[in-house]
Amino acid sequence: MSKLLYISLMRLPTEKAHGSQIMQNCEAFAEAGCQVTLWVARRWNTREMRKIGDPYDWYGVQPSFRIRRVPCIDLFPLFPAESAASRIAFYVQALSYALVCALMLLFSRADIYYSRDEILVWLLGWLKPQRNIAYEAHLFPPAGRGAAWQQRATSSAGSVIAITESLRRDLIANRRASPQRSITAHDGIRRARYVDLPPQSTARQAIGWDEKAFIVGYVGRLQMIGMDKGVASLVEALAAVPGAHLALVGGPEEMAESLRERWIGLGLPRQHFLYTGQVPPAAVPQYLRAFDVCAMPHPATAQFANYTSPLKLFEYMAAGRAIVASDLASWADVLNQEETALLPPPGDTEAWSNAIMRLCDNLALRRRLGAAAREKALAHYSWDARAARILAHIGRNG
């Protein structure tokens, strides 16, 4: 049995999507036959996350891998978010965590060392054989300090896993990875969570939503690293769809409240704005089944257009609901126009309104798109399939 050590700087649990991604990947690696240990930082957590006792239960995964908390210097709670001081606090945190990990790694042995944190991958390169190190890339800094750290990480790793094909191509084009050492592995779903799904009426009764309403839904954080995910433009588009409801499942609450005010400011009924806040990952399928349409209105920034593989994309697909998503390269090899989704241009409010109106007026189209997307997700985008692909790639490079 191969030993796999996954090292992450994250808080656990966290309200951010990467927590769910990492926990489900560790479960999938364990189910693929690896003995998995996840190292996470012992960091100060939010009040809401501190209420969660069992991270395995919160994320809805089997306790088939071990979690170990590693000390670090965490100064984040002392400074305002996005301030210069908070950026300094990040580097203090990252470097202190790396130092403790380095000491622990001197006495730790594994067949695979896996991380998505550039500093940690670079550190591993000094301590462990390159063939045993795997780096999962989620960003592409074009220049500056971020680019330099990513170059160090890709040079240290024997295997590079990019979460979109656009990211892999850019890593290769900029000589941060070779074609032989790199693969694309999109995010996915926990397949068992999406096999027996409730009908829409049952899901809405459980949540308390109107069974006859036309609901367009969005699941997940409303921003990423301070970047808006386009939900405000979705609000504008829905203003032209008579009777439409908007459901938001996620946070942060202050941003959701700002969107509610915009909704009301457009003259839309207050009761048509449905906000639930954060829910456990295992509860997400029920909310998706309650939607009529799942929306991904991401803007055409470099990160979203090329380097983002949202968990919500694959969860939307597996839920069997019609999808309207911005036409971006990040998921061009996953979604197909008129086959598995409608793909209006990002930020084009009129095109978005028209796409949603088509789905509002055409139940057969909603069902056809949802069924095709679900079939594709269940066949190709499970965490188990992803883990098998990654482990095979690491084995070839080892």
Side-chain angles (χ1 to χ4, degrees):
M1 177 181 289
S2 296
K3 291 185 177 182
L4 188 150
L5 176 58
Y6 198 130
I7 309 178
S8 173
L9 184 57
M10 74 166 177
R11 291 184 282 117
L12 185 69
T14 176
E15 69 283 358
K16 298 180 179 178
H18 67 258
S20 186
Q21 198 257 10
I22 290 171
M23 289 290 284
Q24 291 182 98
N25 271 293
C26 284
E27 180 191 42
F29 283 134
E31 290 183 354
C34 294
Q35 181 181 325
V36 180
T37 301
L38 170 63
W39 287 2
V40 297
R42 187 179 294 157
R43 293 170 52 181
W44 185 259
N45 216 331
T46 66
R47 182 178 302 172
E48 293 75 16
M49 292 294 105
R50 289 200 300 273
K51 296 176 183 177
I52 298 168
D54 184 348
Y56 300 105
D57 182 63
W58 169 258
Y59 288 106
V61 301
Q62 294 295 316
S64 53
F65 57 96
R66 181 186 174 202
I67 297 171
R68 184 169 184 179
R69 299 183 185 274
V70 178
C72 67
I73 300 172
D74 187 6
L75 304 176
F76 265 113
L78 303 178
F79 305 109
E82 307 300 325
S83 66
S86 72
R87 288 193 291 274
I88 294 172
F90 167 76
Y91 282 106
V92 171
Q93 180 189 88
L95 291 172
S96 63
Y97 180 70
L99 178 60
V100 177
C101 284
L103 294 173
M104 293 171 59
L105 283 166
L106 294 175
F107 306 97
S108 302
R109 297 289 181 271
D111 302 293
I112 301 169
Y113 300 90
Y114 198 100
S115 184
R116 46 186 279 173
D117 297 292
E118 290 80 9
I119 292 176
L120 297 175
V121 177
W122 169 76
L123 171 68
L124 284 165
W126 285 93
L127 301 172
K128 302 297 179 182
Q130 183 185 42
R131 66 179 181 275
N132 298 110
I133 302 170
Y135 165 56
E136 186 174 295
H138 286 249
L139 301 169
F140 183 80
R145 188 179 293 111
W149 275 114
Q150 186 171 69
Q151 182 68 65
R152 295 185 185 104
T154 55
S155 298
S156 300
S159 301
V160 176
I161 297 92
I163 60 165
T164 71
E165 182 59 25
S166 296
L167 177 53
R168 178 176 180 266
R169 285 197 300 264
D170 283 349
L171 290 170
I172 293 170
N174 287 268
R175 298 183 180 180
R176 297 184 198 174
S178 68
Q180 295 75 27
R181 291 194 298 115
S182 61
I183 60 166
T184 299
H186 288 285
D187 284 331
I189 57 160
R190 191 171 189 269
R191 198 177 189 281
R193 201 174 280 172
Y194 288 88
V195 173
D196 295 315
L197 295 174
Q200 185 180 78
S201 59
T202 302
R204 290 195 180 183
Q205 287 173 7
I207 298 167
W209 289 346
D210 184 350
E211 291 185 41
K212 296 181 180 179
F214 175 71
I215 299 176
V216 178
Y218 174 93
V219 168
R221 299 288 291 175
L222 298 166
Q223 59 184 9
M224 184 185 81
I225 321 176
M227 294 184 287
D228 174 57
K229 291 185 176 179
V231 183
S233 68
L234 176 62
V235 170
E236 302 286 338
L238 288 176
V241 182
H245 292 57
L246 174 62
L248 302 180
V249 181
E253 187 170 342
E254 60 272 15
M255 191 167 183
E257 189 56 39
S258 174
L259 291 167
R260 188 198 306 273
E261 291 174 3
R262 181 176 294 210
W263 179 270
I264 295 169
L266 290 169
L268 301 171
R270 179 185 294 270
Q271 65 272 23
H272 288 194
F273 187 95
L274 310 172
Y275 174 62
T276 68
Q278 186 88 9
V279 302
V284 167
Q286 176 176 260
Y287 284 88
L288 296 178
R289 291 293 287 177
F291 298 164
D292 290 293
V293 173
C294 297
M296 291 207 315
H298 295 61
T301 63
Q303 176 60 34
F304 292 134
N306 297 294
Y307 313 129
T308 301
S309 180
L311 301 190
K312 67 173 65 63
L313 166 58
F314 305 98
E315 292 174 336
Y316 285 0
M317 294 172 70
R321 288 292 175 252
I323 298 170
V324 182
S326 297
D327 188 7
L328 298 175
S330 285
W331 40 81
D333 54 340
V334 177
L335 295 177
N336 304 103
Q337 171 72 351
E338 300 286 346
E339 295 180 15
T340 51
L342 298 183
L343 304 171
D348 187 331
T349 303
E350 182 178 359
W352 270 79
S353 296
N354 291 339
I356 294 170
M357 189 79 76
R358 279 185 65 195
L359 293 170
C360 180
D361 295 338
N362 193 333
L363 176 59
L365 177 61
R366 295 205 304 267
R367 287 177 173 171
R368 178 174 64 79
L369 293 175
R374 175 173 166 79
E375 182 180 2
K376 188 172 184 180
L378 294 179
H380 301 291
Y381 294 111
S382 69
W383 294 120
D384 289 344
R386 184 180 198 266
R389 175 171 166 75
I390 290 171
L391 291 172
H393 174 68
I394 293 171
R396 287 193 297 272
N397 285 304

